Amino acid sequence: MTTFLVTGATGRLGGAALRGLHSHVSSSDIRVLARTDHDAARLSMNGVAAHRADYSEPATLRDAFVGVDRLLFVSSPILDPVVRSSQHRAVIEAAIVADVGHVVYTSAMGAPHDPGHTTAETALGASGLGHTILRNGLYTDPFVARAIEDSRTGAVRSASAGGSIVTTSIADLAAAAVTALIDPPSKVMWELRGPAWTFDEMASTLSRLTHQPIRHELVTDAETGAFSVLFPLIRRGVFSAETADLSELLTREPQGIEAVVAEQLRSRG
């Protein structure tokens, strides 16, 4: 029997990975971590063993990791680089103590410039543990959600200057994590990115699927709200490079912008 443990199971990526894992292995072989007793109780209703543990409480991690064969280590959502790096070290140290068979870590594109991800990748490399590092691209889903909201006024808005962007659906990233967890690949480092798209394509896709006239409107960075920090990077082409790693790991083509738009429109009814 192989015991799997999923961290971050209450989040978007970890939750999607947990649902995917359920379709491959028995619930009795799955453990999850939750930061609160309430979340642990809720997750345990699905038949998995839920442990109340926190990346900032190493003792709780050591207890939860005992007997684990495969660990899906979803990176901490904490933005403070000092705290995040400390949390990542604690998770890997607990995995070493528990002699976990294989760790799948969800890193990110541009990890060498992020102290938290650099700490985790370096620690895994020195750990002696079998491991897979998944450098996830930007999520497609938030861009689509914002575009659907904007489209109610007849326009998708961006400050992209017409440039393309490479993103990845949460569903595909979760599926890739589950694949690496169930059958660990020999390759350690994976740059997971979906196909490139433009905001013109986003607008035309929404127009076609909703049967409404929707245009792409160029605005200033400030007018894009929470996305304003990304658009200068998009215009510079920082997020424009595609890779074949995601399709290689999934053994299929990753979701493009149309698939994610269609999925979100269906979920909204």
Side-chain angles (χ1 to χ4, degrees):
M1 182 183 75
T2 301
T3 299
F4 300 86
L5 190 149
V6 177
T7 75
T10 58
R12 290 179 296 176
L13 179 59
L18 177 60
R19 292 189 293 274
L21 188 59
H22 269 294
S23 67
H24 292 278
V25 303
S26 169
S27 295
S28 61
D29 295 334
I30 303 174
R31 296 184 197 175
V32 296
L33 292 192
R35 283 182 288 177
T36 68
D37 291 331
H38 173 76
D39 285 339
R42 179 173 59 82
L43 289 166
S44 66
M45 294 175 65
N46 295 319
V48 302
H51 293 256
R52 210 293 298 174
D54 192 292
Y55 289 177
S56 293
E57 301 174 23
T60 65
L61 297 172
R62 289 192 291 270
D63 291 342
F65 287 5
V66 173
V68 170
D69 300 298
R70 308 270 173 82
L71 168 65
L72 176 56
F73 172 17
V74 177
S75 59
S76 169
I78 301 298
L79 298 180
D80 183 297
V82 175
V83 175
R84 196 180 197 206
S85 295
S86 176
Q87 289 180 330
H88 288 176
R89 279 193 295 269
V91 172
I92 294 165
E93 288 168 3
I96 293 171
V97 170
D99 195 24
V100 171
H102 196 89
V103 179
V104 176
Y105 174 63
T106 64
S107 187
M109 177 184 180
H113 306 290
D114 182 307
H117 287 312
T118 298
T119 295
E121 292 186 5
T122 301
L124 280 170
S127 69
L129 299 174
H131 63 279
T132 303
I133 295 171
L134 306 178
R135 287 184 172 171
N136 292 343
L138 292 177
Y139 292 169
T140 308
D141 307 61
F143 287 98
V144 171
R146 174 61 181 270
I148 291 174
E149 291 299 316
D150 285 350
S151 69
R152 294 176 178 177
T153 64
V156 169
R157 296 174 180 84
S158 87
S160 64
S164 65
I165 178 173
V166 170
T167 61
T168 319
S169 72
I170 293 173
D172 275 349
L173 293 174
V178 170
T179 296
L181 200 63
I182 292 174
D183 186 16
S186 58
K187 187 164 80 172
V188 172
M189 185 72 69
W190 298 78
E191 297 278 356
L192 303 184
R193 304 177 202 168
W197 54 273
T198 67
F199 283 89
D200 284 340
E201 292 170 339
M202 175 83 83
S204 64
T205 298
L206 277 167
S207 186
R208 184 171 64 257
L209 294 179
T210 62
H211 307 290
Q212 299 292 328
I214 298 168
R215 68 187 187 282
H216 172 213
E217 179 181 327
L218 291 173
V219 297
T220 66
D221 291 337
E223 291 174 283
T224 66
F227 295 87
S228 61
V229 297
L230 293 175
F231 278 108
L233 301 176
I234 291 171
R235 292 194 298 273
R236 286 165 46 196
V238 171
F239 304 114
S240 63
E242 296 176 291
T243 74
D245 280 4
L246 185 57
S247 58
E248 179 184 346
L249 190 55
L250 294 176
T251 66
R252 63 167 172 79
E253 289 302 307
Q255 290 183 320
I257 194 67
E258 181 168 346
V260 181
V261 169
E263 184 177 332
Q264 288 205 23
L265 288 174
R266 282 195 299 271
S267 70
R268 292 170 183 239

